[in-house]
Amino acid sequence: MSWTGGTFGASATCVLAPNANMMTLDGTNTWVLRDPDSSRSIVIDPGPSIESHLDAIDAVAGDVAAVLLTHHHADHSEAAREYAERHGCGVRALDPAYRLGSEGLGEGDVVEVAGLEVHVVTTPGHTADSLSFVVPSDRAVLTGDTVLGRGTTVVAHPDGHLGAYLSSLERLRSLCGEQGITTVWPGHGPVIEDALGVLDYYLAHRQQRLEQVRLAFAALGAATHPEGVAVEEVPRRIVETVYADVDPVLWGAAELSVRAQLAYLVEHP
């Protein structure tokens, strides 16, 4: 499936960063939001510090009023400060370390620029500082890495927390149902037109993986050193069983997810 970005709804343009790899899919989606009757815009996740990418954002962004971050990972945040400085605006993020200026972002905040409203929802789990942004006028939610346009996201222990992530998915599903949100604008991969459907899939997938990890751990044995395997080796042994169909290049990320799942199973025996 080819994804190149484009224009969506009445207010959004996705500028795809040229940083494609196995973790970023086609590259990072930088979202430019602007009321169609205004020249002022909001830029979300400027992405990597690549001059040609920042120039491509400029080509559609007009007068940038604010830069927002969904979370701190470098493929989303690296260029935020330099891009904001180009336009003399701030960077707003949940984590103070990634802000430029005095304004942060938190639950319930509304960022309004020239009539366009963006509502902030805290959705921790992929990272502790993950945010999603609801754009009511387009019945859309911008999810960063909480929901991807293709495949599923990594919840990497210890910053990633599976219990928080499951709660965030449930919360997004409730918001979509209550507010009539139909579309997901993700941080990587194509736009999803069935928000409720993809959230149902994500929740079911996580429960399926949890059960697979539970069974794999039981097969190794629940003792401190099951079958002579040292405790620190258990996550990799589980990856070899549960993620056997996944490219081994991704097993490092899968192991971090398994560690998050094992932590969740300890918390929810």
Side-chain angles (χ1 to χ4, degrees), residues 6-247:
T7 300
F8 301 91
S11 63
T13 301
C14 176
V15 182
L16 182 64
N19 63 334
N21 60 46
M22 295 192 76
M23 295 301 294
T24 64
L25 305 181
D26 312 270
T28 299
N29 293 337
T30 295
W31 289 96
V32 180
L33 305 181
R34 180 169 59 190
D35 183 277
D37 295 324
S38 173
S39 63
R40 303 185 71 216
S41 68
I42 300 168
V43 172
I44 299 175
D45 290 353
S49 180
I50 299 173
E51 189 79 13
S52 62
H53 177 57
L54 303 187
D55 290 343
I57 301 170
D58 278 348
V60 299
D63 177 15
V64 180
V67 172
L68 312 183
L69 293 179
T70 61
H71 65 297
H72 71 271
H73 283 166
D75 58 311
H76 295 258
S77 69
E78 182 184 43
R81 176 177 288 268
E82 66 178 291
Y83 188 75
E85 288 174 342
R86 276 192 182 200
H87 292 273
C89 67
V91 177
R92 298 183 63 178
L94 180 60
D95 187 338
Y98 292 85
R99 299 173 188 168
L100 176 62
S102 59
E103 287 190 292
L105 282 178
E107 175 65 33
D109 283 348
V110 177
V111 181
E112 190 273 331
V113 171
L116 180 70
E117 289 189 354
V118 175
H119 296 235
V120 181
V121 182
T122 52
T123 49
H126 172 69
T127 61
D129 67 333
S130 287
L131 300 172
S132 295
F133 303 120
V134 173
V135 184
S137 59
D138 278 313
R139 297 170 64 195
V141 58
L142 201 152
T143 54
D145 285 358
T146 298
V147 177
L148 303 180
R150 187 186 309 118
T152 55
T153 198
V154 173
V155 178
H157 182 81
D159 186 35
H161 188 278
L162 186 56
Y165 184 67
L166 291 172
S167 294
S168 291
L169 292 178
E170 292 280 9
R171 183 168 189 220
L172 284 174
R173 194 191 185 289
S174 295
L175 278 174
C176 288
E178 293 165 3
Q179 300 184 18
I181 297 167
T182 59
T183 305
V184 173
W185 294 338
H188 301 277
V191 162
I192 299 168
E193 300 293 350
D194 181 8
L196 288 174
V198 74
L199 288 163
D200 283 341
Y201 168 75
Y202 262 56
L203 286 161
H205 172 78
R206 288 294 165 181
Q207 292 301 328
Q208 180 185 45
R209 282 295 194 211
L210 270 173
E211 185 59 22
Q212 290 171 337
V213 168
R214 192 195 312 271
L215 292 173
F217 182 76
L220 284 173
T224 304
H225 294 278
E227 297 184 354
V229 178
V231 170
E232 61 270 17
E233 295 177 17
V234 169
R236 178 49 64 106
R237 291 286 295 272
I238 291 175
V239 167
E240 292 167 358
T241 299
V242 174
Y243 293 84
D245 59 340
V246 173
D247 190 323

